Amino acid sequence: MGAWQPLPDELPPEVRHFVEQLRQLKDGTGLSLAALGARTAYSKSSWQRYLNAVQPPPRQAVAALCRVAGLTGPDAERHCVRWELAVEAWPRPAQPPSADAADTPDTPDTARAVDTADYEDEPTIPWWDRLEERPPAPRPAGRVLLAAVVLLLVLLLTAVGGAVVFG
């Protein structure tokens, strides 16, 4: 659709592949970022951050993009698996050193400790996508049937009464 800004060279391959796939998926919808934001619970500026690899998207944002793009089943799940791989490899912002960090040497193992809890998503899902949270309303099928039978009896009695009076 539009020209994307180049992704940073230092991005891990998993992140680069994931963001490129999201960009293709977004471009396939034909929607602008503002329109995509209107169709999902994520703003235009959030989509700009996600699609430019500034910040990893929440899993629900990926699912929402798949839904808007018409992907379901295994196709949508593939993007969620890519999300998991990308989040594991996503570069973490530099943290200020803590008192505990001074005791531990900064080896590649400790510097690269990945905690996906940092990226646990707090979904901002619109109310119409939260249907599974509400208990299903009881269906008044019995009432509708009863009303239909009563109406039929009233019509039948009216017809019989009219035939007796005028017949």
Side-chain angles (χ1 to χ4, degrees):
M1 181 120 204
W4 292 105
Q5 64 178 314
L7 294 172
D9 292 333
E10 63 273 1
L11 273 181
E14 299 89 349
V15 175
R16 178 176 297 282
H17 179 70
F18 172 70
V19 172
E20 288 169 351
Q21 292 295 311
L22 283 187
R23 286 176 170 188
Q24 288 178 1
L25 195 57
K26 183 262 174 214
D27 287 345
T29 66
L31 298 173
S32 67
L33 290 176
L36 181 61
R39 295 243 184 124
T40 64
Y42 301 92
S43 68
K44 172 187 173 183
S45 59
S46 292
W47 282 113
Q48 285 173 329
R49 288 190 303 275
Y50 306 153
L51 295 169
N52 288 315
V54 173
Q55 174 185 349
R59 185 182 181 107
Q60 278 85 3
V62 176
L65 177 57
C66 288
R67 221 176 11 258
V68 168
L71 293 182
T72 58
D75 293 331
E77 188 57 33
R78 224 172 280 124
H79 286 283
C80 291
V81 169
R82 286 185 188 122
W83 173 84
E84 290 173 8
L85 295 171
V87 166
E88 289 290 325
W90 209 283
R92 302 297 190 259
Q95 300 273 334
S98 65
D100 296 339
D103 299 338
T104 5
D106 194 19
T107 63
D109 291 337
T110 58
R112 199 70 179 112
V114 175
D115 181 15
T116 54
D118 293 344
Y119 292 109
E120 283 299 317
D121 36 333
E122 277 298 313
T124 51
I125 300 175
W127 62 267
W128 58 85
D129 282 345
R130 294 184 187 175
L131 295 177
E132 68 276 354
E133 293 176 7
R134 294 187 207 134
R139 303 199 75 176
R143 288 184 181 174
V144 172
L145 183 60
L146 179 63
V149 168
V150 169
L151 182 61
L152 184 61
L153 285 174
V154 169
L155 288 173
L156 186 62
L157 287 174
T158 304
V160 169
V164 169
V165 172
F166 296 113

